[in-house]
Every structure is written in structure tokens, then in C-alpha cells.
Amino acid sequence: MKPLILLLAMIFAAPAAMAQSYRAGMADLEIADPGGQRDLAGLIWYPTEATGPVSLDFDSMVWVGTEVVRDAAPAPGRFPMVVLSHGMYGNALNQAWLAGALARRGFVVAAIDHPGTSTWSRDPDQSRQLWERPKDISRLIDYAVTDPQMSARIDPARIYMAGHSLGGFTAVALAGGRYDAAKLNAFCADIPGELVCGILDGWNIAKTPEDRAAMQADLSDPRIRAFAVFDLGGTQSFSTESLGRIDRPMLIFGAPVMNSGLTLDIESRALVGALPPGKQRYIEPETLAHFDFLGQCKPGGLELLAREEPGDEVICVGGGKPRAAKHQMIIDEVATFFAQP
């Protein structure tokens, strides 16, 4: 009977598996600011049944690209949506490896460059307005649910978010974490030279009453159903009370290979300890590093960065095949977590 049972299982499972097998379409994304102060640019990945022409999402001497079908017709139907937030001085392509994989599994994925804290936009005044980062994501969702073409392809009841590093900070703010300037100041006074403290101080975060009020406001977005947080920084800036009230599911990755300056005990592990039990999943693979959430590096990428951008080569340490295997694990965990009822 076992072979028959196995055959029946395969027959009944086949339609569901085929229904989730797509290619990744990709298109440019632009969201204008009516005030002209904070236009957003990025990319959208989505399921498509088009078979070609296949190209890479970007061509680089450092990074391995992901196969996409540029500007392909979207597959019919509505799909869950994942919005991505990159880390400090990153960009919308940082998690292209995740976006393309999720699109092939039946998700629409959108990512934008955050003005002031992205690769190509480091204006100090925009960096200081760190409260705009969560608002960027809310504006992205506003666009997704109102644009005629995009709204026809997403299920507004199934919107999710993933963020890396400073993008993880952004995700926690959107989940309901409230910035607490007094708590952070006291924490930083006790740990001179702490990485996040130095960054936020250098950006002049919450230095005036007006900025403090903007940072400490409720920046949550109830439309986001669940979150994935990748080795975040800035946990100590959130009030303990607000973290304890977060009631939406959260998948948290901690990276114990600490090559970024972040410390797990005061970041990911502290976040897990502050959240209410029952709706969180914490994963801390022993070989996972902060920069494993960036793309896979090509052979020679590390050496090229060491020559051209000394110090930046750390982002490609272990960034070849070992990172590709970690990516697959992360993809599986995120897709499974966001597929929960």
C-alpha cells in the first residue's frame, strides 16, 4: 500500500506545486513625492509565466545576479506581497536574491532606496530624518494598493515585510516599536563607542524637540501582517513597553559571526527577549554573518573590493558557495513563515 499512498500524494500535490512555479518578472518602480522632497525609486519582482528573454537583474564584477524576465506580463491572479528595506547605505538590489526567489514562489516583492541612508543618497539632512524610513515603506504600500496595475496583482490582506540591519530597525518601527530617546541616551552613556550609538549620534538623530517628537511618534502600519528581521541594529532605541506590545508574528535572524560591529546580546537576542512570547521565531545559525544577507559574491569579488574600496571587502568574506547555501535556508524560512495562515 505504501507505493500507492505515495503515488496518490504526488498526484494530489502536483497541481499545488505547479501553481507556485513561476519565473521572476522584474520592473522599475518609481513613487513620486507630491512635495518633491522625497521621491522613491526601486524595483518590483513578481510571478510571471513568461519564459523569456531571461537576463540578470544586475551585472557586476562583484555580485552574482538573479535571473529575471524584464518587464514581463504578470501571471494572472492576486498574490501576497513582501516589501523590503535595505540596511545602512544599501539599496533596493541588496536582497534581490530573496526577491527573485520569492517571486518564483508566488509573491510580489517590492524594494526601494531610502533617501539619505542608501548607496547613492547620503544627504545629512535626510539621514537625520530617520523617521521617514518607516514612512517610505508605508508610502510604498499606499502605492501598491492604489495603483491600478499593481493593486490588481496583490492581495491587500497578505502584505509582509523583511528588513536587514537598519532595515530591521525600520521593520520593528512599523510593527509598533516606539523610539525612546531618553532610554537610548542612558544606554549609550554606559557603553562608550557602541556602534549604533555612534551612528545615530553622527546623524544627529532626535537632537531637537521637533525631531525627537517625530522619531518617537507611532510609525506602525497595521496593513503589514508579519515581519522578517535580518540581524537588526538599534534594538536599544525602542521603548521596552512598546516592544512588549507588538502582537504581529516576527521571524528574527541573528548573525553570531559578528563582522559588522553589531552585538547580538544587545540587538537580536535582546529583541527576542523583549517581544511577547508565542508569535516569534528566532534563528541563529552558528556560521551566519551580518553580510550574508547581501548577495552572493563572484570569485575575485573580495580581492576587487580590497583593491578598489579597501575595508569593504569584509562584505564578501565567505560570500561564495557557503553564502548561497545560507540564502537557500533563509528563502525557505521566510517563504514558510509568510505562508502561515
mmCIF file of all heavy atoms in Angstrom, residues 50-71:
data_model
loop_
_atom_site.group_PDB
_atom_site.id
_atom_site.type_symbol
_atom_site.label_atom_id
_atom_site.label_comp_id
_atom_site.label_asym_id
_atom_site.label_seq_id
_atom_site.Cartn_x
_atom_site.Cartn_y
_atom_site.Cartn_z
ATOM 1 N N ALA A 50 5.909 34.063 -18.296
ATOM 2 C CA ALA A 50 6.759 34.278 -19.469
ATOM 3 C C ALA A 50 8.055 33.478 -19.318
ATOM 4 O O ALA A 50 8.634 33.402 -18.235
ATOM 5 C CB ALA A 50 7.075 35.760 -19.616
ATOM 6 N N THR A 51 8.512 32.897 -20.394
ATOM 7 C CA THR A 51 9.724 32.076 -20.341
ATOM 8 C C THR A 51 10.981 32.830 -20.760
ATOM 9 O O THR A 51 12.093 32.334 -20.615
ATOM 10 C CB THR A 51 9.563 30.852 -21.243
ATOM 11 O OG1 THR A 51 9.280 31.283 -22.583
ATOM 12 C CG2 THR A 51 8.433 29.960 -20.740
ATOM 13 N N GLY A 52 10.821 34.038 -21.275
ATOM 14 C CA GLY A 52 11.991 34.805 -21.680
ATOM 15 C C GLY A 52 11.588 36.100 -22.354
ATOM 16 O O GLY A 52 10.392 36.401 -22.467
ATOM 17 N N PRO A 53 12.570 36.907 -22.732
ATOM 18 C CA PRO A 53 14.005 36.626 -22.645
ATOM 19 C C PRO A 53 14.520 36.761 -21.207
ATOM 20 O O PRO A 53 14.161 37.704 -20.504
ATOM 21 C CB PRO A 53 14.641 37.684 -23.552
ATOM 22 C CG PRO A 53 13.658 38.819 -23.525
ATOM 23 C CD PRO A 53 12.301 38.195 -23.420
ATOM 24 N N VAL A 54 15.354 35.826 -20.791
ATOM 25 C CA VAL A 54 15.896 35.811 -19.438
ATOM 26 C C VAL A 54 17.176 36.632 -19.402
ATOM 27 O O VAL A 54 18.027 36.527 -20.287
ATOM 28 C CB VAL A 54 16.168 34.365 -18.974
ATOM 29 C CG1 VAL A 54 16.848 34.349 -17.617
ATOM 30 C CG2 VAL A 54 14.868 33.572 -18.935
ATOM 31 N N SER A 55 17.294 37.474 -18.382
ATOM 32 C CA SER A 55 18.511 38.258 -18.170
ATOM 33 C C SER A 55 18.820 38.268 -16.678
ATOM 34 O O SER A 55 18.105 37.656 -15.883
ATOM 35 C CB SER A 55 18.327 39.688 -18.695
ATOM 36 O OG SER A 55 17.298 40.349 -17.993
ATOM 37 N N LEU A 56 19.878 38.947 -16.297
ATOM 38 C CA LEU A 56 20.217 39.088 -14.883
ATOM 39 C C LEU A 56 19.699 40.422 -14.368
ATOM 40 O O LEU A 56 19.671 41.422 -15.092
ATOM 41 C CB LEU A 56 21.735 38.997 -14.679
ATOM 42 C CG LEU A 56 22.381 37.664 -15.058
ATOM 43 C CD1 LEU A 56 23.886 37.729 -14.819
ATOM 44 C CD2 LEU A 56 21.760 36.515 -14.272
ATOM 45 N N ASP A 57 19.279 40.449 -13.089
ATOM 46 C CA ASP A 57 18.737 41.695 -12.547
ATOM 47 C C ASP A 57 19.794 42.789 -12.480
ATOM 48 O O ASP A 57 19.486 43.962 -12.533
ATOM 49 C CB ASP A 57 18.097 41.461 -11.170
ATOM 50 C CG ASP A 57 18.980 40.655 -10.225
ATOM 51 O OD1 ASP A 57 20.189 40.535 -10.476
ATOM 52 O OD2 ASP A 57 18.437 40.133 -9.229
ATOM 53 N N PHE A 58 21.065 42.418 -12.350
ATOM 54 C CA PHE A 58 22.136 43.400 -12.468
ATOM 55 C C PHE A 58 23.416 42.670 -12.855
ATOM 56 O O PHE A 58 23.569 41.471 -12.618
ATOM 57 C CB PHE A 58 22.345 44.188 -11.176
ATOM 58 C CG PHE A 58 22.721 43.345 -9.986
ATOM 59 C CD1 PHE A 58 24.046 43.136 -9.637
ATOM 60 C CD2 PHE A 58 21.737 42.781 -9.187
ATOM 61 C CE1 PHE A 58 24.388 42.373 -8.538
ATOM 62 C CE2 PHE A 58 22.076 42.010 -8.086
ATOM 63 C CZ PHE A 58 23.406 41.797 -7.757
ATOM 64 N N ASP A 59 24.321 43.394 -13.479
ATOM 65 C CA ASP A 59 25.579 42.812 -13.928
ATOM 66 C C ASP A 59 26.700 43.511 -13.180
ATOM 67 O O ASP A 59 26.850 44.727 -13.248
ATOM 68 C CB ASP A 59 25.742 42.994 -15.437
ATOM 69 C CG ASP A 59 26.975 42.290 -15.969
ATOM 70 O OD1 ASP A 59 27.419 41.324 -15.316
ATOM 71 O OD2 ASP A 59 27.487 42.700 -17.020
ATOM 72 N N SER A 60 27.485 42.750 -12.433
ATOM 73 C CA SER A 60 28.505 43.338 -11.579
ATOM 74 C C SER A 60 29.726 42.443 -11.550
ATOM 75 O O SER A 60 29.617 41.215 -11.674
ATOM 76 C CB SER A 60 27.961 43.534 -10.162
ATOM 77 O OG SER A 60 28.992 43.807 -9.240
ATOM 78 N N MET A 61 30.878 43.036 -11.345
ATOM 79 C CA MET A 61 32.097 42.265 -11.202
ATOM 80 C C MET A 61 32.217 41.671 -9.804
ATOM 81 O O MET A 61 33.072 40.817 -9.555
ATOM 82 C CB MET A 61 33.311 43.143 -11.511
ATOM 83 C CG MET A 61 33.377 43.639 -12.939
ATOM 84 S SD MET A 61 34.801 44.712 -13.257
ATOM 85 C CE MET A 61 36.137 43.517 -13.096
ATOM 86 N N VAL A 62 31.351 42.115 -8.887
ATOM 87 C CA VAL A 62 31.390 41.627 -7.508
ATOM 88 C C VAL A 62 30.253 40.655 -7.228
ATOM 89 O O VAL A 62 30.458 39.607 -6.598
ATOM 90 C CB VAL A 62 31.332 42.805 -6.513
ATOM 91 C CG1 VAL A 62 31.235 42.300 -5.072
ATOM 92 C CG2 VAL A 62 32.555 43.702 -6.681
ATOM 93 N N TRP A 63 29.038 40.961 -7.683
ATOM 94 C CA TRP A 63 27.843 40.231 -7.260
ATOM 95 C C TRP A 63 27.319 39.283 -8.327
ATOM 96 O O TRP A 63 27.330 39.603 -9.512
ATOM 97 C CB TRP A 63 26.722 41.220 -6.896
ATOM 98 C CG TRP A 63 27.118 42.231 -5.883
ATOM 99 C CD1 TRP A 63 27.326 43.571 -6.082
ATOM 100 C CD2 TRP A 63 27.361 41.993 -4.492
ATOM 101 N NE1 TRP A 63 27.678 44.174 -4.904
ATOM 102 C CE2 TRP A 63 27.714 43.243 -3.910
ATOM 103 C CE3 TRP A 63 27.317 40.858 -3.683
ATOM 104 C CZ2 TRP A 63 28.011 43.371 -2.558
ATOM 105 C CZ3 TRP A 63 27.621 40.988 -2.328
ATOM 106 C CH2 TRP A 63 27.964 42.224 -1.785
ATOM 107 N N VAL A 64 26.832 38.136 -7.880
ATOM 108 C CA VAL A 64 26.140 37.191 -8.752
ATOM 109 C C VAL A 64 24.710 37.678 -8.939
ATOM 110 O O VAL A 64 23.994 37.911 -7.962
ATOM 111 C CB VAL A 64 26.145 35.775 -8.138
ATOM 112 C CG1 VAL A 64 25.292 34.825 -8.967
ATOM 113 C CG2 VAL A 64 27.573 35.256 -8.006
ATOM 114 N N GLY A 65 24.277 37.842 -10.161
ATOM 115 C CA GLY A 65 22.921 38.323 -10.426
ATOM 116 C C GLY A 65 21.886 37.207 -10.334
ATOM 117 O O GLY A 65 22.212 36.019 -10.308
ATOM 118 N N THR A 66 20.631 37.601 -10.279
ATOM 119 C CA THR A 66 19.499 36.682 -10.231
ATOM 120 C C THR A 66 18.768 36.719 -11.569
ATOM 121 O O THR A 66 18.540 37.799 -12.117
ATOM 122 C CB THR A 66 18.527 37.087 -9.103
ATOM 123 O OG1 THR A 66 19.219 37.043 -7.852
ATOM 124 C CG2 THR A 66 17.337 36.151 -9.038
ATOM 125 N N GLU A 67 18.386 35.573 -12.086
ATOM 126 C CA GLU A 67 17.694 35.521 -13.371
ATOM 127 C C GLU A 67 16.290 36.097 -13.268
ATOM 128 O O GLU A 67 15.528 35.735 -12.370
ATOM 129 C CB GLU A 67 17.625 34.092 -13.890
ATOM 130 C CG GLU A 67 18.953 33.554 -14.385
ATOM 131 C CD GLU A 67 18.801 32.227 -15.105
ATOM 132 O OE1 GLU A 67 17.692 31.641 -15.045
ATOM 133 O OE2 GLU A 67 19.768 31.792 -15.750
ATOM 134 N N VAL A 68 15.952 36.993 -14.193
ATOM 135 C CA VAL A 68 14.627 37.607 -14.245
ATOM 136 C C VAL A 68 14.207 37.735 -15.710
ATOM 137 O O VAL A 68 15.023 37.629 -16.623
ATOM 138 C CB VAL A 68 14.614 39.004 -13.586
ATOM 139 C CG1 VAL A 68 14.925 38.915 -12.100
ATOM 140 C CG2 VAL A 68 15.596 39.955 -14.284
ATOM 141 N N VAL A 69 12.910 37.998 -15.894
ATOM 142 C CA VAL A 69 12.382 38.361 -17.213
ATOM 143 C C VAL A 69 11.913 39.801 -17.084
ATOM 144 O O VAL A 69 10.900 40.092 -16.444
ATOM 145 C CB VAL A 69 11.226 37.447 -17.646
ATOM 146 C CG1 VAL A 69 10.762 37.813 -19.054
ATOM 147 C CG2 VAL A 69 11.649 35.982 -17.591
ATOM 148 N N ARG A 70 12.679 40.695 -17.656
ATOM 149 C CA ARG A 70 12.416 42.125 -17.508
ATOM 150 C C ARG A 70 11.081 42.520 -18.141
ATOM 151 O O ARG A 70 10.800 42.170 -19.297
ATOM 152 C CB ARG A 70 13.532 42.936 -18.160
ATOM 153 C CG ARG A 70 14.666 43.295 -17.228
ATOM 154 C CD ARG A 70 14.314 44.578 -16.517
ATOM 155 N NE ARG A 70 15.409 45.078 -15.700
ATOM 156 C CZ ARG A 70 15.318 46.218 -15.017
ATOM 157 N NH1 ARG A 70 14.203 46.936 -15.063
ATOM 158 N NH2 ARG A 70 16.310 46.618 -14.279
ATOM 159 N N ASP A 71 10.260 43.264 -17.366
ATOM 160 C CA ASP A 71 9.005 43.849 -17.855
ATOM 161 C C ASP A 71 8.067 42.802 -18.462
ATOM 162 O O ASP A 71 7.290 43.100 -19.374
ATOM 163 C CB ASP A 71 9.286 44.957 -18.876
ATOM 164 C CG ASP A 71 10.121 46.086 -18.274
ATOM 165 O OD1 ASP A 71 9.809 46.514 -17.153
ATOM 166 O OD2 ASP A 71 11.095 46.516 -18.925
#
